[in-house]
């Protein structure tokens, strides 16, 4: 039911904002994202039974963590692109560069986990453990749904299986 709510009230709108079209503009995208955030906040408040003060504090924690999340996402994207480019070189791939890319990707994952732990400690100051667990589940469902909308399967989402090429 939560996925249905998210897809009806927010994610379909956000997805539309991400598709280029004749009526797409930065202002339109910003307005759609703002509506999405408001609807998402309403769903979060209802599902977690948060008080107005808890919602205010949740917003503060999210704002504090957002810049760090974006930086980690950007670093991961750049590393994955570099790794992919190097691996695509086949036999001429620089093994040391590939090793560094892999090590750096692992470091980004470690920092993402550290960020999650810091976020959970901050949430523990004003949310119950059950509220925090429900919030984690909501975040995971939202992430999966957004990945599906972008055409990138997430954990547990169906993946397109490509059969191996026939051997002669």
């Amino acid at each position: 039911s939560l996925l249905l709510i998210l897809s009806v009230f927010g994610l379909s709108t956000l997805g539309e904002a991400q598709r280029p079209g004749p009526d797409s503009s930065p202002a339109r995208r910003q307005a759609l994202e703002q509506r999405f955030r408001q609807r998402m906040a309403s769903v979060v408040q209802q599902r977690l039974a948060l008080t107005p003060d808890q919602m205010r504090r949740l917003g503060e924690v999210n704002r504090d963590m957002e810049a760090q999340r974006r930086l980690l996402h950007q670093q991961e994207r750049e590393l994955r692109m570099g790794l992919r480019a190097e691996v695509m070189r086949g036999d001429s791939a620089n093994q040391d560069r590939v090793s560094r890319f892999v090590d750096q990707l692992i470091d980004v994952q470690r920092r993402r986990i550290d960020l999650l732990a810091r976020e959970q400690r901050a949430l523990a100051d004003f949310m119950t453990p059950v509220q925090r667990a429900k919030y984690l589940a909501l975040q995971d469902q939202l992430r999966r749904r957004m990945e599906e909308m972008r055409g990138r399967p997430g954990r547990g989402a169906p993946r397109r299986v490509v059969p191996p090429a026939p051997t002669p």
Side-chain angles (χ1 to χ4, degrees), residues 5-19 28-37 39 145 149:
I5 291 169
L6 292 176
S7 64
V8 169
F9 288 113
L11 292 175
S12 62
T13 303
L14 187 59
E16 291 168 12
Q18 293 173 343
R19 284 193 289 279
R28 175 174 157 69
R29 179 182 171 89
Q30 187 175 21
L32 290 171
E33 287 176 352
Q34 178 63 27
R35 282 201 320 253
F36 168 74
R37 282 190 293 274
R39 289 176 182 151
R145 179 70 175 119
M149 288 180 60

Side-chain angles (χ1 to χ4, degrees), residues 160-166:
R160 190 175 137 235
V161 176
V162 179

Side-chain angles (χ1 to χ4, degrees), residues 95-140:
Q95 299 298 317
D96 290 334
R97 287 191 73 192
V98 170
S99 180
R100 282 194 304 275
F101 280 130
V102 170
D103 290 345
Q104 290 172 331
L105 279 168
I106 292 169
D107 182 60
V108 167
Q109 293 301 318
R110 185 176 298 116
R111 290 186 289 151
R112 182 173 282 128
I113 290 169
D114 290 344
L115 180 61
L116 176 63
R118 286 194 310 276
E119 178 184 46
Q120 284 299 307
R121 283 191 298 275
L123 295 176
D125 288 344
F126 61 92
M127 291 171 78
T128 68
V130 170
Q131 288 173 323
R132 289 176 31 226
K134 286 180 179 181
Y135 187 62
L136 273 175
L138 283 171
Q139 287 176 313
D140 192 50

